[in-house]
């Protein structure tokens, strides 16, 4: 079945850029998303990209999509301690039966 | 102010008891979802509903039940048949499929942490 994979941990220094990577298997993915989860809270949608795009920028966030390699990345510029959280990659496509498939999440640690 | 609410935030139950988790949304979304999250793990889909009076099993439906009698509400019952019910439960909603321009992103509630002893 469809799968989304992410590395589990990433540690960066405050002020540096963070890059969180994700790979997916569903070649018919239509939308790909990045969600953020702070401790003890629900998930918050950060941004999403349509599959016919290869880049989307929103303030400090840049999403890159390599559809050929089924690779998605989220770059956070000037990472702050408030960015420390779990980041989930997710995809939605026709083969998912209207279900969104989530990765296991990448825990981002930002060191002051 | 539109959103999705879950109550209570923390819930404690004795083993063998059924418990119902509440999820309400005022976003006028057709689709609603229940996920389970265990420590250090991603989300696992329990049940989902694309429209009122209809719902489907997700990947881990055993020991759970749901109802969707109203568009705004999608309660989840954790039954005594669920072998390991202690977890963080997340409810989400989304616009239904088939709407033009729909990007299907899900909106999440704040979660309910259930502890069964």
């Amino acid at each position: 079945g469809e799968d989304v994979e992410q590395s589990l941990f990433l540690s960066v220094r405050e002020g540096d850029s963070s890059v969180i990577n994700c790979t997916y298997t569903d070649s018919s993915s239509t939308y790909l998303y990045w969600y953020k989860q702070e401790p003890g809270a629900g998930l918050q949608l950060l941004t999403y990209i349509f599959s016919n795009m290869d880049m989307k920028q929103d303030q400090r966030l840049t999403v890159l999509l390599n559809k050929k390699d089924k690779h998605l990345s989220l770059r956070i510029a000037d990472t702050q301690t408030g960015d420390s959280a779990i980041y989930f990659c997710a995809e939605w496509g026709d083969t998912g039966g209207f279900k969104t498939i989530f990765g296991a999440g990448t825990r981002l640690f930002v060191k002051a | 102010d539109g959103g999705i609410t879950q109550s209570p935030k923390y819930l404690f139950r004795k083993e063998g008891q059924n418990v119902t988790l509440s999820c309400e949304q005022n976003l006028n979304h057709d689709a609603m979802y229940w996920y389970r999250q265990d420590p250090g793990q991603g989300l696992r889909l329990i049940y989902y509903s694309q429209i009122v009076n209809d719902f489907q099993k997700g990947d881990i439906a055993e020991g759970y039940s749901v109802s969707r009698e109203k568009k705004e509400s999608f309660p989840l019952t954790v039954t005594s048949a669920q072998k390991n019910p202690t977890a963080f439960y997340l409810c989400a909603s989304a616009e239904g499929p088939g709407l033009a321009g729909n990007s299907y992103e899900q909106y999440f509630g704040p979660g309910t942490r259930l502890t069964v002893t």
Side-chain angles (χ1 to χ4, degrees):
Chain A
E2 304 82 20
D3 195 19
V4 175
E5 293 194 354
Q6 309 176 232
S7 53
L8 293 182
F9 299 99
L10 176 65
S11 180
V12 300
R13 291 195 180 278
E14 191 174 22
D16 288 351
S17 291
S18 307
V19 179
I20 303 171
N21 294 300
C22 166
T23 58
Y24 59 96
T25 59
D26 185 2
S27 57
S28 70
S29 290
T30 306
Y31 289 97
L32 295 120
Y33 313 89
W34 284 104
Y35 287 85
K36 177 183 180 182
Q37 185 182 33
E38 297 187 358
L43 275 67
Q44 171 195 358
L45 179 70
L46 286 178
T47 187
Y48 67 89
I49 190 167
F50 189 51
S51 59
N52 68 354
M53 300 168 66
D54 52 23
M55 186 181 91
K56 182 178 181 181
Q57 188 151 4
D58 184 0
Q59 298 182 331
R60 292 191 297 124
L61 304 179
T62 303
V63 178
L64 295 178
L65 174 61
N66 182 329
K67 199 171 179 181
K68 175 177 166 289
D69 294 338
K70 299 192 186 70
H71 182 267
L72 183 74
S73 68
L74 174 69
R75 178 177 179 269
I76 305 173
D78 187 25
T79 311
Q80 303 297 307
T81 54
D83 295 323
S84 293
I86 302 175
Y87 291 81
F88 290 91
C89 172
E91 65 94 9
W92 185 96
D94 290 347
T95 58
F98 306 115
K99 294 183 289 181
T100 301
I101 310 298
F102 288 85
T106 299
R107 188 178 292 272
L108 175 64
F109 296 94
V110 182
K111 296 176 283 189
Chain B
D1 205 13
I4 180 165
T5 58
Q6 293 184 243
S7 61
K9 188 162 179 64
Y10 299 96
L11 193 51
F12 298 88
R13 280 294 183 270
K14 294 286 188 188
E15 200 173 311
Q17 293 179 334
N18 291 356
V19 59
T20 297
L21 281 60
S22 165
C23 178
E24 304 277 331
Q25 54 98 1
N26 61 4
L27 299 167
N28 200 33
H29 285 168
D30 285 314
M32 296 187 75
Y33 308 82
W34 274 106
Y35 296 92
R36 171 184 173 135
Q37 187 178 28
D38 292 286
Q41 296 191 31
L43 305 181
R44 291 188 288 170
L45 182 65
I46 304 172
Y47 268 97
Y48 64 105
S49 167
Q50 295 180 33
I51 200 164
V52 174
N53 293 321
D54 187 46
F55 49 83
Q56 287 80 39
K57 292 182 179 179
D59 302 317
I60 55 164
E62 187 175 346
Y64 299 97
S65 66
V66 293
S67 62
R68 187 83 189 278
E69 296 175 3
K70 297 188 297 182
K71 189 175 186 177
E72 312 80 53
S73 178
F74 192 40
L76 173 74
T77 297
V78 184
T79 75
S80 55
Q82 167 50 233
K83 294 287 185 279
N84 186 17
T86 295
F88 189 50
Y89 290 88
L90 286 162
C91 180
S93 70
E95 288 180 341
L99 292 175
N102 189 351
S103 52
Y104 304 105
E105 68 265 27
Q106 295 187 12
Y107 294 80
F108 283 81
T112 292
R113 188 166 299 280
L114 172 65
T115 303
V116 177
T117 56

